[in-house]
Amino acid sequence: MTRSTAADLVARSNRLGSDPKVTNYAGGNTSAKGTDIDPVTGEPVELLWVKGSGGDLGTLTETGLAVLRLDRMRALVEVYPGVEREDEMVAAFDYCLHGKGGAAPSIDTAMHGLVDAAHVDHLHPDAGIAIATAADGEELTTRIFGDAVVWVPWRRPGFQLGLDIAAIKAKNPQAIGTILGGHGITAWGDTSEEAERNSLWIIDTAQAYIDQHGVAEPFGGVRDGFSTLPEAERRAKAAALAPTIRGLASTDKPMIGHFTDADVVLEFLASEKAPALAALGTSCPDHFLRTKVKPLILDVAADASVEDSIARLRELHAAYRADYQAYYDAHADADSPAIRGADPLIVLVPGVGMFSYGANKQTARVAGEFYVNAINVMRGAEALSTYAPISDAEKFRIEYWALEEAKLLRAPKPKTHQGRVAFVTGAASGIGKAIATRLAAEGACVVVADLDLEKARAVAAELGSSDVAIGVAANVADAEGVQAAIDATVLAFGGVDLVVNNAGLSLSKPLLETTEKDWDLQHDVMAKGSFLVSKAAARALIAQGMGGDVIYISSKNSVFAGPNNIAYSATKADQAHQVRLLAVELGEYGVRVNGINPDGVVRGSGIFAAGWGANRAATYGVDEKDLGQFYANRTILKREVVPENVADAVYVLTGPELTRTTGLHVPVDSGVAAAFLR
């Protein structure tokens, strides 16, 4: 029975969780009751399978279920100390667990175990929450559903809410579910199919009623001066604003950003009611735990200049922090967790779009998705009635809930580069790919920039989803192309923190055979290219005010006078001195600039594979296949240098150990005495 019940529950959960009209990421929970054989007694035992704490319905697997003995769980009713101490019941769930492994039971476990139904769904659909947050939600529930769905006044999730719903079901045998005031819906059934069918019926019925009976313009008309900007104009303005907004949102701790200019967001921001509704904040706990109680909304016209918008954003940010501190002070008591930061997680810019923030890209993206859900909820509530979210006092009780704090403390320790955005040029192969791979493994969001867009995207896909890495086209010798790549970076991840100038090429020729074209090509890509990338990135780094790192992948040839190498070595010397110059110039902004001098990185190198290897092998009189070992044999350590060795150096220079180091060149050459830095 275990396998069948659990598998059916997972399948139902995945179907429900993959439909955005049903619930949002990590929102809601599902359960099933059944019997299994107790391995100790050999007797049948009634069990509850329920989605565990922190899981996501759409991606749920059996390991994400908590399995509890139903008799023990229901026996907790006899020892329940009352609503003032109901938090203690979560720890008591641990004494009801059956078997080994499984997920930790969530706060909603009581809702599933105490309700007398074999299958229970608790979901957060926009249409359902619209009814739940309407000022006359109870009356609307009766009008829309008759006696098939029962209204439950707002109560914080927990054991008492489970008792309330259980009592309602017992008193209303005809009912198939409830509307939970300010929160969401619950539905049940005798079979998994029936529970799913009832959940979908409630959602579809609510949406149909809103569509048929709601007013045409629930957000009012368009505010004069706040209409949506044309696409190219708004994307350009978003890219110009993004670094400053990210810096403001990262005042307390570094944040990764996400930007969306979806129609639903732009329509809301242009509307007459947007300022007042935004000020009311979100209602569903799943929403405001990820979006904070309310967003920061810019109050200047859509076509205001970037400079005027930034000036006003700074003023509004200061006011937002003061307001959030006042919210905390008004509701905190001696037992409340410390304030977790007063910066906004959602920043709304009329005419442009929404910026959302989190500790990583997924969290930032999901925060934005939740605010879209909140917009949909407000639209539905305003279409039928008046949007009336739960009070700030109730929001605070959940946001600073001891159980929520405990969940945050259980989160894995962040990796060294989490919260940082890395832009790596020439990253589709060789050294650049190794650097991108290492930084992604250390928690950074990575932009794989390369002349070959398809290869850049392929490498990004190897590193993970778009929450981890993206590929962009970047001809580093073209100023407009470089700026476009940096703009794509700040729109994808909010800003940029770590820039690696790695793009390069080489032609091995003696002086008399080196053409002007050879010289210009190598200087355009490496000397000019590094300059253009550093310049474009510096604007974002300075606007953020968060410091940062610029790394130049130079070469031992920047100081070593090798044969037949005039153009390449000269441009590498140019790069090496850019490191020193920019370390001085950018230091006042907390930006560190360092260089790495590799030698003879043959394996995996695009430069060596493109003819440089054959030329150098001919110069030294060795077979090309033996070139790597040739380079190794002439070093002090007699060890070949590979791309990962250079990536290690980038990791160390940009990690937490060398925060006081700038203007440094680190040799990664196994020891070439002639290239020792003096």
Side-chain angles (χ1 to χ4, degrees):
M1 180 65 78
T2 301
R3 183 175 302 170
S4 172
T5 304
D8 288 349
L9 174 59
V10 167
R12 175 172 108 236
S13 302
N14 293 164
R15 287 191 299 272
L16 292 171
S18 62
D19 188 344
K21 79 172 184 181
V22 171
T23 200
N24 31 47
Y25 178 82
N29 30 72
T30 52
S31 68
K33 302 178 183 75
T35 60
D36 196 11
I37 300 300
D38 188 322
V40 176
T41 66
E43 298 295 323
V45 59
E46 283 192 281
L47 299 176
L48 168 72
W49 290 266
V50 59
K51 191 202 84 169
S53 178
D56 170 53
L57 289 175
T59 56
L60 185 68
T61 63
E62 289 190 27
T63 59
L65 298 173
V67 187
L68 299 88
R69 285 186 54 131
L70 203 52
D71 58 345
R72 294 183 65 83
M73 213 229 91
R74 288 179 169 171
L76 293 177
V77 174
E78 303 303 321
V79 296
Y80 175 50
V83 69
E84 296 303 320
R85 293 172 53 194
E86 70 171 346
D87 289 1
E88 298 172 21
M89 303 306 288
V90 174
F93 293 151
D94 290 343
Y95 295 95
C96 305
L97 293 173
H98 174 80
K100 297 173 62 176
S106 77
I107 188 64
D108 286 320
T109 299
M111 180 190 303
H112 294 271
L114 300 181
V115 171
D116 185 19
H119 301 268
V120 178
D121 296 333
H122 166 55
L123 304 167
H124 301 142
D126 295 347
I129 307 175
I131 308 304
T133 56
D136 52 350
E138 184 172 6
E139 179 185 341
L140 282 170
T141 298
T142 301
R143 190 187 313 163
I144 296 169
F145 304 105
D147 63 356
V149 178
V150 182
W151 172 265
V152 181
W154 161 258
R155 186 183 292 280
R156 188 176 66 164
F159 203 85
Q160 187 60 54
L161 181 57
L163 289 171
D164 292 348
I165 298 174
I168 283 172
K169 184 182 184 305
K171 186 177 179 180
N172 299 273
Q174 80 291 343
I176 64 167
T178 66
I179 295 290
L180 305 178
H183 186 168
I185 74 167
T186 298
W188 48 75
D190 293 331
T191 66
S192 184
E193 293 76 11
E194 185 181 26
E196 183 175 358
R197 187 166 59 249
N198 288 341
S199 292
L200 295 177
W201 181 82
I202 293 173
I203 296 167
D204 291 341
T205 301
Q207 187 61 60
Y209 190 89
I210 294 169
D211 294 341
Q212 293 169 15
H213 299 278
V215 299
E217 292 186 332
F219 292 146
V222 176
R223 287 186 286 165
D224 186 35
F226 287 80
S227 297
T228 299
L229 297 174
E231 182 178 7
E233 187 177 344
R234 72 172 180 265
R235 301 288 289 188
K237 189 171 183 180
L241 294 175
T244 296
I245 297 176
R246 183 191 179 212
L248 295 174
S250 300
T251 299
D252 288 319
K253 57 185 177 182
M255 290 286 182
I256 295 294
H258 175 74
F259 172 74
T260 181
D261 56 354
D263 289 345
V264 61
V265 173
L266 294 170
E267 177 196 4
F268 175 69
L269 294 180
S271 72
E272 294 174 340
K273 291 186 179 181
L277 289 172
L280 291 174
T282 53
S283 185
C284 175
D286 266 28
H287 293 184
F288 61 75
L289 282 174
R290 293 166 173 84
T291 65
K292 270 203 166 83
V293 289
K294 62 182 179 180
L296 185 158
I297 182 168
L298 183 60
D299 57 4
V300 300
D303 62 355
S305 69
V306 170
E307 293 74 19
D308 288 347
S309 298
I310 287 175
R312 184 56 179 154
L313 281 164
R314 293 189 186 282
E315 294 173 350
L316 291 171
H317 176 252
Y320 186 99
R321 286 179 60 84
D323 183 64
Y324 188 84
Q325 183 68 58
Y327 157 79
Y328 178 86
D329 293 341
H331 302 295
D333 58 31
D335 297 324
S336 297
I339 191 171
R340 298 194 192 102
D343 298 315
L345 295 179
I346 303 292
V347 177
L348 304 172
V349 180
V352 176
M354 172 173 62
F355 299 84
S356 54
Y357 297 93
N360 53 51
K361 172 65 177 185
Q362 183 194 55
T363 305
R365 175 177 54 77
V366 168
E369 291 172 0
F370 271 95
Y371 200 77
V372 168
N373 291 129
I375 291 173
N376 291 334
V377 166
M378 289 185 277
R379 177 189 288 106
E382 288 288 314
L384 297 177
S385 175
T386 301
Y387 175 62
I390 63 174
S391 68
D392 281 359
E394 286 300 306
K395 291 175 186 175
F396 184 88
R397 289 184 68 212
I398 292 177
E399 186 179 1
Y400 285 91
W401 202 352
L403 296 176
E404 185 64 28
E405 183 74 4
K407 183 188 298 185
L408 294 173
L409 293 174
R410 290 196 301 268
K413 183 180 178 181
K415 295 181 179 179
T416 56
H417 286 61
Q418 182 173 311
R420 307 201 76 196
V421 180
F423 180 85
V424 185
T425 66
S429 63
I431 292 173
K433 181 178 179 180
I435 292 169
T437 301
R438 180 64 190 272
L439 293 176
E442 299 300 338
C445 295
V446 178
V447 177
V448 178
D450 200 272
L451 193 61
D452 190 322
L453 176 59
E454 292 308 310
K455 288 183 178 179
R457 287 174 171 169
V459 170
E462 290 178 28
L463 299 182
S465 72
S466 57
D467 287 341
V468 175
I470 64 168
V472 300
N475 176 0
V476 296
D478 176 65
E480 289 186 4
V482 167
Q483 188 61 57
I486 293 295
D487 288 349
T489 299
V490 302
L491 289 180
F493 297 116
V496 64
D497 305 291
L498 197 166
V499 178
V500 182
N501 282 308
N502 168 75
L505 63 106
S506 186
L507 303 172
S508 175
K509 294 181 180 180
L511 172 64
L512 298 182
E513 295 178 16
T514 300
T515 66
E516 185 177 351
K517 182 178 179 181
D518 295 334
W519 178 274
D520 288 344
L521 176 61
Q522 293 181 85
H523 278 73
D524 280 351
V525 171
M526 290 177 284
K528 177 184 173 183
S530 296
F531 154 71
L532 291 176
V533 170
S534 295
K535 181 179 180 181
R539 292 192 187 99
L541 290 166
I542 292 169
Q544 284 175 165
M546 298 168 62
D549 287 281
V550 178
I551 299 291
Y552 279 67
I553 306 301
S554 184
S555 170
K556 75 100 170 53
N557 287 306
S558 65
V559 294
F560 173 72
N564 302 336
N565 210 8
I566 177 65
Y568 179 81
S569 294
T571 196
K572 285 299 180 182
D574 185 316
Q575 284 186 308
H577 201 49
Q578 286 187 39
V579 168
R580 302 181 186 97
L581 294 168
L582 295 186
V584 172
E585 184 170 344
L586 299 180
E588 66 175 291
Y589 304 106
V591 178
R592 302 177 302 141
V593 186
N594 293 291
I596 296 171
N597 291 346
D599 178 43
V601 182
V602 178
R603 274 193 274 167
S605 169
I607 289 179
F608 276 89
W612 171 257
N615 286 332
R616 300 316 289 167
T619 297
Y620 293 119
V622 300
D623 289 339
E624 186 176 358
K625 66 180 177 58
D626 299 324
L627 187 59
Q629 191 57 51
F630 170 81
Y631 283 130
N633 289 341
R634 71 183 187 179
T635 68
I636 295 170
L637 298 177
K638 302 294 189 292
R639 300 181 67 183
E640 185 178 357
V641 178
V642 297
E644 288 72 21
N645 301 138
V646 183
D648 291 342
V650 173
Y651 161 71
V652 172
L653 281 170
T654 60
E657 288 84 9
L658 296 179
T659 58
R660 303 299 186 270
T661 299
T662 193
L664 174 69
H665 283 277
V666 177
V668 182
D669 58 11
S670 288
V672 178
F676 282 175
L677 298 172
R678 302 175 177 81

